[in-house]
Structure formats: C-alpha cells, structure tokens
Amino acid sequence: MTGKAATQELEALDVGGTGAGTEWPWAPGGPDGSAVPQRVYVTGIFLALASILMFFTALTSAYLVRQGISTDWVPIELPAILWANTAVLLGSSATIERARRLLAQGRPEGFRRWWGLTTALGLLFLAGQFVAWTELRAAGVYVATNPSSSFFYVLTGAHGLHLLGGVAALLYLARRDESREHRAGLQTAAAAASVYWHFLGVIWVCVFLLLNLRG
Amino acid sequence: MAEAHAVAHEAPKGFIRKYIFSLDHKVIGIQYILLALAAVFVGMFLSLLMRLHLVWPNAKLPFFDVMTPEQYLALMTMHGTIMVFFVLTTAPQSGFGNYFLPIQIGAADMAFPTLNMLSFWFTFVSFAVMMAAFFVVGGAPISGWTAYPPLSAVGEIAGPGLGWGQSLWVISIAIFCGASLMGALNFITTTLDLRTKGMSLMRMPLTCWAWFVTAILALLGFAVLLAAGILLLLDRHAGTSFFVPGGLVITEKLIPHKGGSPLLWQHLFWFFGHPEVYIAILPGMGITSHILSTFARKPIFGYRAMVYAIFAIALLGLSVWGHHMFTSGMSPYSAFAFSLLTMSIGVPSAIKTFNWIGTLWGGQIRFTTPMLFAIGFVSLFVSGGLSGIFLAQPAVDLPLHDTYFVVGHFHLIMGVAAIFGMFGATYYWFSKMFGRQMSEFLGKLHFWPTFIGVYCIFMPMHFIGLAGHERRYPDTTAVQYLAALQPVHLFMTIAAIVTIAAQFIFVFNFFWSLWRGKKAEVNPWEATTLEWTVPSPPPHDNFAGRYPAVYRGPYEYGVPGAAKDFTPQHVPDGAGGAGSH
Amino acid sequence: MEQKQSGTGGSLVAAGLALSLVVLTFSTIYIFFKRTWWFPEPISAFAEAVDRQFDRTLVITGLVFFLAQLALGYVIFRYRDRGGRARYSHGNTVLEILWTSATAVMFIGLGIAAERAWASLHWMGAAPGAMQVEITGKQFAWNFRYPGADGQFGRTDPSLVNDAAGNPVGLDTNDAAAQDDVVTATMAVPVNQEVEVILRAVDVTHSFFVRELRFKQDAVPGMVIRLHFKAEKTGSYEVACAELCGLGHHRMRTVLQVLPEDEFQAWLREQAAE
C-alpha cells in the first residue's frame, strides 16, 4: 500500500471516519475463508510439541531420579505385544505421510484412503496398549505395585491420551470438505496433524526405549 | 481484498456469544481481568484475617470466630495459591496481554480465538474448583502454595484440609496448567505470525516482548507442573510412591508407601515455580517500560538492551530453581551452581533498572497516575530485588530461609511490584478498554497510601526475618524470642489495614469511571503505539478491516524537528512524522 | 494540537514522590544500622563467617539501594515536565556495557565469596572424633539420640514408634547397640567440641533451626542428612521448626544447651537415668 494514502485513512479512522480499507498485511485469508494465515497452524503445532516434550521430559527425569534413589525398584516384565504396537505406530507414520503427500498432489480419494488407514492403525495401537495393560493386570502388576509399574502406567497412559487426541484430530479432518476451494486449509491442517502424529511416534519410541533399557 | 475476509470471526450477536463465550480477545481479556479482580479481593481478605489473627490471636473474626492454627494455615495456603495463580498469572499476562497484544502488533485477534476462549473458561473452572476447597470436609489444604509432600501426599492423617481440600487443590492446579498452556501457545503464535506490515520484532513495544517471553516460560513451566501434579494426585489416590518415602509413621500409623522422594517434588515444583516468578513480574516490567517512556516523553533508554535483558532473565530463570532448596538436603555442590546462576540474574535486572532511570533522565516527566505506579514499580523492584541477593547465597540463606525475610522479599518483588504493574496498566489503558477515563484525582489518592503502605507492610518483614521469625507460624507465643517482635507485627497489621482500605478507592474509581467517567479520546496520553490509533473501545476486529503499516520503533518521543513531541508508529516518514504537520 | 498536561501540578507530585523515596532510603538504611531487630550473637566460627558475608552483601546491596533509589528520586524531580522537549536519546552503549560489567563483577564476585562458608559446612565432613547426635523431627516435637558409651546408634524401626510407650524414634531394644542409646526431648552439646548431627524425620519434612548457630537444615523423611557444628559459647538457645509440617508447626520448639564438658556429661547421665 502506499504510505500517504494509508496515513490519510488512519487519520480518518482517528476521528472515527470511514475509508476504503487497506489490505491485510499478511497473506490474506486462505481459500477456505479463514482470516489468519495458514502458518499459524504450523507454528501452533510446533509450540504444542515443545510443551508436550517438556511434559514427557519431566516424567522421564522423575523416572530416572526415582529409579536412582530407590532400593525397591523391581523391573516389570514388559508385555511382548508392545513390540507389535511399536511396529503399528511406526507404520502409521508412514501411512499418514503418504496421505499427506497425496493430498498435496491433489488426489483427495487417495488421501481419504490412507488417512483412514492411519486412523485405523492409531486405534489398533491404542487397543494394543489396552491389551498390554490387561496382561499386566492379569499378572498382578498394578499402578501401585512398584515404582517401575507406576511409571509404566503413567508414561503409557499419558502417551495414549495424547494419541487419542491425535485420533480425534484425524477423524475431524476426515470429515472436512476437501473440495477445491478449501483444499489449502485442509492441506495445512493435515500437515499439522501429521507433524503431531510423527512426534507421538518419536515420543513412543523414546518411552519404549526408556522402559526397555532402564526398566 | 474483500472485507468479509478481514475478520477472524464475525461480530457476534446475542449476549451469550458476545460477553460469555466470546471469541473476541478484548472481551476475553476483560473476563480475565474481572476474574483476577475478584480473586485479588478474596486473597487480600484472607491476608487481612491472617494479619489480624497474628496481632489479636483471641479476637473473633468474620467467618472464623477465634481462628485455629489449621484455619490460619488454610488461609495462608489459599492466599498464596490465589494470588500467585489467579491474580499474578492471569491479570498481567492473560488479562492485559490478551487485550493489547493483538492491537499493539496490528492484528484482528489472537491466532486461535476458540483456544483463547477455552483457556479462559478452564481458568474459571480451575478457580471454582479451588474455591470449593473451602467448603469440603476438613476445609482448605494447610500445606502452603508449594504443597510439599509428604505433608500434601498422605491425606488427612497428616492434618486437616489434607484430604479433599488438598485433592481439589491439585485438580484445580492441573486444570490451571491446561489453561495456561493453551494461552501461552496462543500468545507465542500471535506474536510470531500476526504482526502487521512493518512491525518487525525489534519494533514491538516492550509490553509485547514481555508477554511473548512470559508465554515461552509458561509453555515450558506449566507442562512440568502438570506432570508433577499428576504424579502427586496418583500418590494421593492410586497408592503410588513417587514422592512418599517408606517407613513413615504419622500419628502412630505406619504409612504403606515406600521408596519415594520428597525432593523430587521440590525439584519439579520449583522448575515451574521459579519461572513462575518471572511469569508474574515480566509483564509488569514491560508495562512499566511502556508507561515510563510515554510520560517521560522520551524513547526508552537502550531498547535492545531491554529486550536482551528480558531474554536473559527468562533463560537464567529456567536454570535457578535450586536456590529455593538450599536447606532441603539437595546436593551441596549443585547449590554452588544454582547460587552463581541466581546472582547472575542480578545483572539483567540491574540493566533494566538503570535503563528505566536512563529513560527518565533528561525527560519531561508527566506525573499521571499510571506514571506514579510505574515509578513505584521501579522503586519496589530495586528494593525487592536487592534482598534477593542475600537469599541467593547458600550460606547467607541458611539463617534467612523460611523466615519473614523471604516473605518480605517476594512480596515486594513478585507481589506488590507486579500489582503496581497491573495498577499502572489499568490506569493507562482503562480509557482504551472502556471508552471513559478514570479519575486522575482518585487515582492519585489511591497511589499515595498504597505506595507508602506496601513499604510499611513488607519492609519490616525483612527485619523480623533477620531476627529469626519463621514464616507460616499461626501463633508466635510458643517460641520465646518471637515475643520481642510482636510490636513489628502490630505496625505491619495497621499498615495493612490502611493499605487495604485504600484499595476501595481504586474499586470505586474503576466502577464509577465505567459509567460516569469522562468520555475518552482516541489518544489521551499522546502516545505512539498502535492501540492509540483505534477508537476507544476498539471495534470488534480492532482496526475495522483497515490494518496499519508500521514505519518505526515504538517509542519515538521528542524527535527533533518533528511538529509534535510524539511520532506514532503508523505514520510514514514525511507524512505527519518528522518535519511536517 | 496543543501540548497537553505540561506542568499540571507536576512539581508538587514530583517533589512529594522524590521526598518519599528519600525518606524510604534513609529510614531503611537507618534501621539496618541501628540493628534493633537483628541476628542474635553468633556462637560459632561458622556463624561468624555467615555474618561477615552478610555484612559484605549488606554493604554492596546497601550502596546499590542508596544510589538507585536516590537517583530515581533525583531524576523524577529534576526532569519533571516544565513545558519543553525531552532530550531525544535512544541510549548509550558505553554506559550500558559499563554498568552491565560492573554489576556482573560485583554480584558474581559476591557469590563466589559466599561459597567458602557454605563449603566449610556442606562440602567437608565433621572433624574426626566428632560427637554424634541424631536429630529426629516428628509432628510436632524434636527428639535427640545420643549413642551412649559404645559410640554406636542402635537399630530403629518405624513400626516400633510409639510415643505412649516412651519410644518416639522407634528404637529396637533387642539390638545390643540400642541398649545404651539415650533419647531426649531437648538437646545438649559440650562447648568447643565438634558435633556431627544426623537429621531424620519420621513423618513429614521439618527443619532444624538454631538462630545463634546460623544453622538450618531440613529433616527429610527417607533421607539421612549429616552436618556438623561447633558451638563456642555456653548458654541455652531456642530450636524451632522452620519447614511447614502441619497444624502444630509453630509449637515444635525445644532448646539447645551448650554446656561445659563436665556439665554435659552430668546432663547425659541424668537423661540416661530417666
């Protein structure tokens, strides 16, 4: 915009007058009609990841400290199904990436298929985690049995809840309109969701390593 | 560009969408401020009861008759919790920040309006849950706002209020963590992504820098507190032993927990708790800088140094939590590191102080009410900051830790100084928010007893702390050396009564001006930043679809050769800026 | 637009505010000098070292306090609005570097100077041959245990803790080493003799605080914390709890008697007889 004109408009505004509006200073609202630039979703998701990372770091440091000082730590026998769950979750990272790329290439049907597959894998992972919990419970290992089991339930539970949120996001996005004029918004949302999904995969690998190596 | 795209959301119709579940950052900001106003009066009333009880232990007090020790400790816990979380964390950041961050950077709203609304309502629910702790069996918890286990973890066997009251406390704090995380995410994203054309980071008002950095601290700190809170809740209700060691015998009963570490809680808590101090005070620093520059009619002295100092304080603030734990039994070697890092915070703090004085130097100071509170802030910040230098040294901390010296120190710096920041902000921005001006006469009438009063309350606390007066004592008769300090308590209580009475001048001024104040102009203070370019109060999307461009830094006062002594950010060079008009 | 608000009652407010800063500064410094409310006399070399470091800190912070508050008072009076233009300046990098490095040297230097006293208490163990006393915190009383003639503490067991039966620390009397342990409700130590204290807590966190020793240490459940002191003046000193431990926190008080060697031995015999 030209400076002079803008100033006049703003001075008009100062006294409550009306004038033709200047343009949005940032990339104007996306084709889906949203007024904020698409990049806020990307920024937002990375900030959320920073916060979640702090949360799990706090739990992990509590884990290491608690284990370091204790004389009562008895490692629990990790259910074997956790390996299968890990494979499922890592697989879902691959499928969500495929879905995201298909959408970017303008192939909404393919997107829909792979996106649905990712959702299913996410639910399968959660079901698998539930089986792991049930197995432990059957073996008499409860939350309060031992600090190792307390941390096992806290870490897997916290991760599971985050993943449940991820599944909800996938389901919500699957219902969104992917018609041409809204595709840019959907692409950003899908990208943000997949960043979150990959991150939860990484967190799970770290948790799983922690449980295996420092159990 | 079509106008329809220029609003983040349509202007709402109907009372509920407009004022209750509003998406508008301005309404949400005011909601936060009103919540904090309600909370601050609850917190202040609790402190008044405590002060009365300390001086007249047998007096019959409202709601309490003659206060018991556990009631006193419950008041003390709730006073601290309410003030720290629902006043110092909400008003300066979520309240004023919500209202003015988008306007000052030239945005229509926060990046995520729905998240913003959720954040407020989470805070509201959290406050309701916290208040409920007063009304459950056993009453409010007695373990202090720091909730150290095992006291806070083993249930009511360890004392009244540690059953349901403590559980509600932890739940409320967990909800509050969620609210703060949402808010922090929103603030950072808004600052990074929604600045208007020309508003580079180094052209942002210092208020925006303060809110931005505060949000970073909140994003990192509250995540850790949430984790700690969940573990504490499990210790209380699921029988785990994160924080509770084995072999505890409480009132002759062996507690079934084993192997936990009370120090683990302290580390996690203070990893949040120390940054929390800066969450409370940084917005006040930003507001003070903003006000000082406006009314000294001078650019801020050393803008860049001020920005770097905020970052230095925040960065160091994340790595000094151990200085709360010098007597805790923590490793004495890490105490050395924590001590030196803490002393280093004195450096950026001194930079801020010197730069504030440098800003005033050579100015043409206008003594408006917000300016008085900003100057008061600087004085309180110096006083409260310097007593921290004693506490930062582990050896000197030994006789002072957990005494009134600490109470005096943190009340001056994170309590009262932050409150002065809020008062300054209120007097400064009231006209913008509500379209009417607060009474300057009543404002000044409010300032004097408040400024003198808070010094009379909190400065003597340092002295009785030197004499060894432990904090959190409901009764000063059992320990004999405390008897000699009783006259000081009397002095502080009288000062507190006067100071609290003076706050009603503020409340009267606030509500009277809301309806009867003088109609506000767009820019009554002749200030330079973007909030002074929009009507008072601003329209739904702040700039009515016409977004300003920014041509210069935020504090261009007294530019030589310019017609007026202030050159707003949005005026292009040669068009009303330097030289013309 | 007209210059608004220039000189509107500014001088009076400026003078008042500057004056209150001056009054604040001088009265605070006066009370610090007068020492009406102050530390009690130190009774150990460590306490004296802490006091010296406190005084050093007081001088430096006092100076900064004095200069900063008075500078603030001066500028607000000197530069009150008198209708002109403010001096246009964005700062001064040289000054900025100067006061940054000055405060850094001052504060960090002070911090390093403080470590010697801390190290003498916390980094070094008790002198060999120090007398041992176990201090146990409990809602809401302190208990002290002396090892007796064998110089060894007997076994304790939380399940044996029973105040009514006169066993507040849970001493296991089946243990031979426990036979001659002496458990007391007040503390006594011989003068001029190094004492190693072993801090424990049976229920929640407490903090053992003796003003005259400038000694404060939390007694944390699940931890055994060893520190040491050497009291050099006989007398009776109050001990208080400094960490919130419940509704009786304020009455968790006892005394520490610093006695000449022979009186201490007599006291210990008397306690053992009870």
Side-chain angles (χ1 to χ4, degrees):
Chain A
M1 74 182 164
T2 61
K4 192 112 188 164
T7 314
Q8 281 162 359
E9 280 154 20
L10 281 157
E11 283 177 347
L13 185 67
D14 271 354
V15 292
T18 53
T22 61
E23 286 187 1
W24 273 82
W26 50 75
D32 60 347
S34 90
V36 289
Q38 293 296 321
R39 67 172 178 275
V40 299
Y41 299 106
V42 180
T43 311
I45 203 70
F46 275 103
L47 291 172
L49 302 192
S51 190
I52 295 167
L53 189 63
M54 280 310 284
F55 177 82
F56 279 98
T57 306
L59 289 179
T60 306
S61 61
Y63 185 101
L64 296 175
V65 168
R66 179 66 181 80
Q67 190 184 40
I69 59 154
S70 73
T71 51
D72 59 339
W73 188 284
V74 183
I76 55 169
E77 183 124 351
L78 293 177
I81 192 170
L82 291 178
W83 290 97
N85 293 351
T86 307
V88 168
L89 195 60
L90 293 179
S92 74
S93 253
T95 57
I96 200 171
E97 192 55 23
R98 175 106 180 102
R100 192 185 65 77
R101 289 195 183 159
L102 285 169
L103 184 69
Q105 290 160 10
R107 294 161 62 187
E109 302 77 24
F111 160 73
R112 199 172 268 258
R113 204 173 315 121
W114 285 93
W115 196 256
L117 180 58
T118 309
T119 316
L121 287 174
L123 287 169
L124 186 62
F125 172 83
L126 288 175
Q129 295 292 83
F130 186 75
V131 170
W133 283 23
T134 321
E135 280 178 18
L136 280 177
R137 206 182 54 174
V141 179
Y142 302 99
V143 179
T145 304
N146 191 266
S148 62
S149 68
S150 307
F151 274 108
F152 176 85
Y153 282 105
V154 169
L155 286 166
T156 52
H159 177 265
L161 280 176
H162 280 92
L163 200 92
L164 195 62
V167 168
L170 295 192
L171 288 172
Y172 172 75
L173 288 185
R175 290 184 58 246
R176 280 226 340 216
D177 188 359
E178 80 263 19
S179 58
R180 187 164 295 281
E181 68 265 31
H182 291 124
R183 194 164 297 151
L186 183 58
Q187 272 178 17
T188 314
S194 60
V195 167
Y196 181 70
W197 197 262
H198 294 319
F199 174 78
L200 286 183
V202 173
I203 288 282
W204 171 251
V205 169
C206 293
V207 167
F208 195 48
L209 280 175
L210 181 74
L211 293 171
N212 271 296
L213 300 179
R214 299 289 305 256
Chain B
M1 196 65 227
E3 289 284 309
H5 288 171
V7 275
H9 38 83
E10 295 295 318
K13 308 198 172 52
F15 183 80
I16 295 210
R17 294 297 293 173
K18 205 167 171 183
Y19 296 112
I20 308 293
F21 296 107
S22 173
L23 298 177
D24 185 340
H25 70 102
K26 298 185 289 299
V27 177
I28 294 170
I30 290 171
Q31 286 174 325
Y32 265 117
I33 289 168
L34 292 180
L35 177 69
L37 197 63
V40 80
F41 269 83
V42 176
M44 201 168 70
F45 180 65
L46 301 184
S47 69
L48 179 65
L49 291 178
M50 284 190 283
R51 291 252 37 110
L52 292 173
H53 173 75
L54 282 172
V55 179
W56 296 287
N58 298 315
K60 288 192 193 317
L61 298 170
F63 302 112
F64 287 96
D65 202 36
V66 174
M67 201 187 288
T68 60
E70 56 270 31
Q71 284 172 336
Y72 177 93
L73 293 176
L75 296 193
M76 180 272 298
T77 302
M78 295 299 270
H79 166 80
T81 308
I82 290 170
M83 289 301 199
V84 168
F85 290 99
F86 297 101
V87 179
L88 298 176
T89 309
T90 49
Q93 176 79 3
S94 311
F96 290 106
N98 234 318
Y99 200 109
F100 286 103
L101 175 71
I103 305 184
Q104 286 192 330
I105 61 172
D109 203 316
M110 297 290 264
F112 308 108
T114 311
L115 202 63
N116 205 12
M117 177 187 75
L118 278 177
S119 165
F120 170 75
W121 284 106
F122 267 60
T123 310
F124 184 86
V125 169
S126 163
F127 186 62
V129 172
M130 188 61 78
M131 289 297 104
F134 275 119
F135 303 101
V136 293
V137 179
I142 62 166
S143 59
W145 83 280
T146 51
Y148 277 14
L151 191 61
S152 63
V154 291
E156 58 204 345
I157 189 169
L162 298 174
W164 267 106
Q166 187 75 57
S167 291
L168 288 177
W169 186 94
V170 184
I171 291 166
S172 163
I173 293 301
I175 299 171
F176 191 89
C177 289
S180 295
L181 291 173
M182 289 187 254
L185 191 150
N186 221 342
F187 271 69
I188 301 173
T189 309
T190 305
T191 312
L192 288 178
D193 286 346
L194 297 192
R195 279 169 290 120
T196 191
K197 191 190 252 176
M199 180 62 84
S200 63
L201 286 172
M202 280 298 174
R203 282 181 180 170
M204 290 200 303
L206 286 170
T207 43
C208 298
W209 273 112
W211 289 320
F212 176 63
V213 175
T214 302
I216 295 174
L217 287 178
L219 190 78
L220 304 178
F222 277 105
V224 173
L225 183 65
L226 180 60
I230 289 170
L231 298 185
L232 183 59
L233 211 54
L234 289 171
D235 268 8
R236 292 178 56 77
H237 293 290
T240 57
S241 302
F242 297 109
F243 305 126
V244 187
L248 296 194
V249 183
I250 299 179
T251 57
E252 314 275 287
K253 277 210 189 68
L254 195 60
I255 302 295
H257 296 267
K258 55 182 187 183
S261 162
L263 256 64
L264 178 57
W265 167 267
Q266 296 185 23
H267 279 291
L268 292 172
F269 180 85
W270 286 116
F271 183 86
F272 148 79
H274 196 75
E276 167 62 31
V277 173
Y278 298 109
I279 290 171
I281 194 75
L282 283 178
M285 293 186 184
I287 289 160
T288 297
S289 307
H290 198 69
I291 293 175
L292 286 180
S293 179
T294 305
F295 296 111
R297 317 305 297 164
K298 264 191 73 195
I300 199 85
F301 191 96
Y303 175 89
R304 273 174 189 275
M306 290 300 244
V307 173
Y308 300 149
I310 293 178
F311 270 101
I313 289 173
L315 199 66
L316 288 168
L318 281 168
S319 50
V320 297
W321 73 91
H323 70 218
H324 297 269
M325 299 170 61
F326 289 148
T327 68
S328 69
M330 159 187 89
S331 152
Y333 305 101
S334 64
F336 177 64
F338 281 126
S339 166
L340 285 191
L341 284 163
T342 308
M343 296 296 271
S344 316
I345 295 190
V347 179
S349 307
I351 292 174
K352 304 229 64 136
T353 307
F354 291 139
N355 283 359
W356 286 325
I357 293 175
T359 303
L360 296 172
W361 195 283
Q364 287 288 331
I365 301 171
R366 297 177 184 174
F367 289 94
T368 58
T369 307
M371 186 60 165
L372 292 181
F373 277 97
I375 294 168
F377 178 98
V378 176
S379 172
L380 289 162
F381 183 74
V382 170
S383 305
L386 285 172
S387 54
I389 297 289
F390 294 88
L391 300 169
Q393 306 171 39
V396 181
D397 181 57
L398 287 184
L400 302 177
H401 182 78
D402 266 328
T403 69
Y404 269 89
F405 191 93
V406 179
V407 180
H409 160 71
F410 73 70
H411 272 94
L412 277 186
I413 196 149
M414 92 177 269
V416 180
I419 297 249
F420 268 50
M422 286 179 233
F423 280 138
T426 310
Y427 285 110
Y428 184 73
W429 280 319
F430 186 91
S431 67
K432 185 55 60 189
M433 298 168 78
F434 300 109
R436 290 176 187 272
Q437 287 207 285
M438 286 180 91
S439 157
E440 275 287 304
F441 171 74
L442 289 176
K444 289 190 169 109
L445 200 64
H446 170 222
F447 170 76
W448 289 104
T450 306
F451 182 61
I452 297 167
V454 294
Y455 265 121
C456 289
I457 302 169
F458 298 112
M459 202 48 118
M461 286 191 182
H462 292 86
F463 297 111
I464 63 173
L466 293 180
H469 197 326
E470 297 79 1
R471 65 194 282 209
R472 296 169 167 175
Y473 269 25
D475 181 317
T476 55
T477 52
V479 176
Q480 286 158 13
Y481 63 74
L482 299 181
L485 307 174
Q486 205 57 21
V488 189
H489 271 307
L490 179 63
F491 177 81
M492 293 189 293
T493 297
I494 292 169
I497 293 170
V498 173
T499 311
I500 289 173
Q503 302 320 302
F504 289 93
I505 305 173
F506 170 77
V507 176
F508 174 78
N509 193 356
F510 189 96
F511 288 105
W512 185 83
S513 306
L514 215 49
W515 285 284
R516 294 295 178 81
K518 196 163 67 104
K519 283 269 186 197
E521 302 162 50
V522 168
N523 188 4
W525 307 123
E526 301 183 318
T528 49
T529 43
L530 293 183
E531 76 268 32
W532 304 109
T533 65
V534 294
S536 312
H540 175 69
D541 70 339
N542 301 337
F543 297 93
R546 296 177 299 275
Y547 290 83
V550 164
Y551 299 91
R552 61 180 59 74
Y555 302 116
E556 289 300 312
Y557 292 99
V559 181
K564 289 188 283 187
D565 84 329
F566 64 106
T567 314
Q569 284 191 283
H570 68 280
V571 178
D573 292 323
S580 75
H581 244 283
Chain C
M1 219 186 315
E2 282 291 299
Q3 278 279 348
K4 279 187 287 189
Q5 290 158 340
S6 30
T8 46
S11 295
L12 199 64
V13 179
L17 195 51
L19 188 68
S20 34
L21 289 170
V22 170
V23 171
L24 159 78
T25 309
F26 282 97
S27 53
T28 304
I29 289 176
Y30 172 74
I31 303 173
F32 266 106
F33 266 101
K34 195 154 164 274
R35 305 198 165 191
T36 311
W37 301 286
W38 205 255
F39 298 113
E41 281 295 305
I43 59 164
S44 68
F46 171 76
E48 282 163 11
V50 168
D51 285 8
R52 275 195 302 280
Q53 180 62 21
F54 182 90
D55 289 342
R56 275 193 283 273
T57 312
L58 187 60
V59 168
I60 289 180
T61 54
L63 197 69
V64 176
F65 177 75
F66 179 81
L67 292 176
Q69 299 284 6
L70 289 191
L72 184 62
Y74 170 76
V75 294
I76 58 178
F77 183 72
R78 168 70 182 75
Y79 297 108
R80 65 192 185 279
D81 186 7
R82 290 187 275 199
R85 264 291 158 96
R87 194 179 304 161
Y88 182 74
S89 152
H90 281 279
N92 183 324
T93 313
V94 177
L95 268 182
E96 209 81 66
I97 292 168
L98 206 67
W99 60 48
T100 304
S101 28
T103 46
V105 169
M106 205 159 62
F107 288 159
I108 294 171
L110 201 56
I112 291 170
E115 294 309 322
R116 193 211 276 265
W118 176 254
S120 74
L121 175 66
H122 271 278
W123 296 9
M124 292 163 207
M131 188 187 92
Q132 288 187 318
V133 186
E134 186 195 69
I135 302 175
T136 307
K138 183 168 189 253
Q139 285 182 336
F140 298 98
W142 293 103
N143 286 289
F144 305 94
R145 184 154 68 115
Y146 295 81
D150 62 353
Q152 296 217 329
F153 289 109
R155 218 163 52 79
T156 57
D157 186 334
S159 64
L160 297 173
V161 170
N162 190 334
D163 283 341
N167 193 0
V169 298
L171 199 60
D172 181 358
T173 42
N174 294 326
D175 183 17
Q179 300 295 335
D180 63 347
D181 285 10
V182 183
V183 178
T184 64
T186 63
M187 185 179 187
V189 296
V191 70
N192 287 326
Q193 193 175 322
E194 178 104 334
V195 178
E196 181 176 43
V197 292
I198 301 160
L199 286 132
R200 299 196 313 146
V202 296
D203 41 31
V204 298
T205 307
H206 305 275
S207 190
F208 181 79
F209 177 32
V210 184
R211 296 186 305 157
E212 291 79 359
L213 291 168
R214 311 288 184 266
F215 185 98
K216 186 179 288 146
Q217 176 59 51
D218 289 4
V220 186
M223 287 176 82
V224 177
I225 297 166
R226 290 162 184 272
L227 285 174
H228 51 94
F229 63 80
K230 184 158 88 176
E232 291 163 356
K233 258 186 210 139
T234 56
S236 181
Y237 309 102
E238 282 188 286
V239 175
C241 181
E243 182 63 64
L244 179 60
C245 59
L247 63 91
H249 172 48
H250 60 284
R251 56 182 156 86
M252 196 166 152
R253 168 206 181 261
T254 184
V255 289
L256 163 68
Q257 296 180 74
V258 179
L259 302 169
E261 176 69 31
D262 51 339
E263 282 181 38
F264 169 72
Q265 293 301 343
W267 176 86
L268 199 56
R269 276 194 301 276
E270 194 184 307
Q271 294 291 327
E274 275 176 19

